[in-house]
């Protein structure tokens, strides 16, 4: 974990209620896809945990949805704003378990961490495919960015307004993938868990206090004992999850 000041370079809308923020700062503590950052906001007691969409030396990209007062405040921050951010939080995805043809599945706010994961897997010579889940077509984001990586992209919308009608599980193949990586709301994760035919890694969303394991507020039970989503997670192995 590392604390540092980041400067807002871009803060733009991608879809209704969804924003992309690009920040300049020290990203050396970010070691892998699936980690998150914790952002301090003026007037707010608790930091806001946001998953890392992508990063490179000196640049951090996050994509966030406006779901409350904190993220609404973030959406109004002008370019040039300095933010106090904790980086390098959480245990991310283990790429060594992917196999040759991993399947990435993201739903809504769980889609952004799939992007950095896809880039890293492609750099290893793997052939990942991705399924993106939305409620309706107007919520779509990142589809073109995934396609630009050269990936097979499938979109599912609950109302059928774009791509496969239904949930991400309706777009899941019966076979042909070697590992599952996923992030999204818990009901989606449970449905993927039930349908998947391989091992996998599931990134959980949880309300957090400190974000680095001190307060124990995000502890959950696993088959191997209690784990803190912010510290031992947010990524858990399929085989250890208790629903």
């Amino acid at each position: 974990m590392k604390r540092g000041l980041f400067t807002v370079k871009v803060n733009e809308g991608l879809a209704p209620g969804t924003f992309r923020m690009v920040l300049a700062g020290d990203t050396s503590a970010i070691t892998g896809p699936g980690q998150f950052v914790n952002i301090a906001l003026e007037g707010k007691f608790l930091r806001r945990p946001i998953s890392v969409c992508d990063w490179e030396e000196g640049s951090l990209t996050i994509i966030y949805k406006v779901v409350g007062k904190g993220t609404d405040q973030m959406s109004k921050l002008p370019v040039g704003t300095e933010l106090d951010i904790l980086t390098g939080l959480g245990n991310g995805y283990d790429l060594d378990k992917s196999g040759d043809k991993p399947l990435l599945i993201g739903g809504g706010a769980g889609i952004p961490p799939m992007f950095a994961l896809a880039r890293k897997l492609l750099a290893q010579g793997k052939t990942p495919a991705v399924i993106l889940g939305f409620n309706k077509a107007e919520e779509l984001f990142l589809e073109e960015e995934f396609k630009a990586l050269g990936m097979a992209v499938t979109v599912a919308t609950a109302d059928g307004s774009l791509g496969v009608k239904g949930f991400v599980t309706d777009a899941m193949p019966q076979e042909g993938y070697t590992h599952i990586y996923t992030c999204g709301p818990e009901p989606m994760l449970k449905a993927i868990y039930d349908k998947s035919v391989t091992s996998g890694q599931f990134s959980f969303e949880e309300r957090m206090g400190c974000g680095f394991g001190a307060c124990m507020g995000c502890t959950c039970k696993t088959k191997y004992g209690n784990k803190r989503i912010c510290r031992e997670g947010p990524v858990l192995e399929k085989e250890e999850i208790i629903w």
Side-chain angles (χ1 to χ4, degrees), residues 40-46 48 73:
L41 296 172
E42 185 177 354
K44 300 293 186 292
F45 178 68
L46 294 177
R48 265 50 184 182
Q73 183 176 329

Side-chain angles (χ1 to χ4, degrees), residues 193 202 204 222-223 236-243:
Y193 177 97
F202 294 65
F204 284 81
T222 78
K223 293 178 182 177
L236 299 178
E237 300 278 350
K238 179 181 179 181
E239 291 74 19
E240 66 180 314
I241 297 170
I242 298 175
W243 296 105

Side-chain angles (χ1 to χ4, degrees), residues 1-6 25-31 35-40 47 52 57-58 60 83-90 210-212 231:
M1 181 184 72
K2 192 168 188 176
R3 181 180 179 182
L5 290 177
F6 284 71
D26 182 1
T27 58
S28 61
I30 304 173
T31 58
Q35 290 185 304
F36 66 96
V37 299
N38 223 2
I39 302 173
R47 292 173 181 262
V52 173
E57 185 177 352
L60 167 68
L83 291 174
D84 180 323
I85 301 180
L86 301 178
T87 58
L89 298 173
C210 67
F212 49 84
R231 185 80 174 196

Side-chain angles (χ1 to χ4, degrees), residues 177-230:
Y177 56 90
T178 54
H179 196 74
I180 290 279
Y181 293 100
T182 185
C183 182
E186 192 165 309
M188 184 196 90
L189 299 183
K190 175 63 165 60
I192 293 170
Y193 177 97
D194 290 338
K195 187 169 182 178
S196 58
V197 296
T198 69
S199 183
Q201 298 171 50
F202 294 65
S203 182
F204 284 81
E205 301 170 350
E206 188 65 64
R207 284 190 172 274
M208 297 180 185
C210 67
F212 49 84
C215 73
M216 310 297 287
C218 61
T219 301
C220 71
K221 291 182 179 180
T222 78
K223 293 178 182 177
Y224 308 122
N226 292 334
K227 290 192 174 184
R228 297 161 293 182
I229 291 298
C230 73

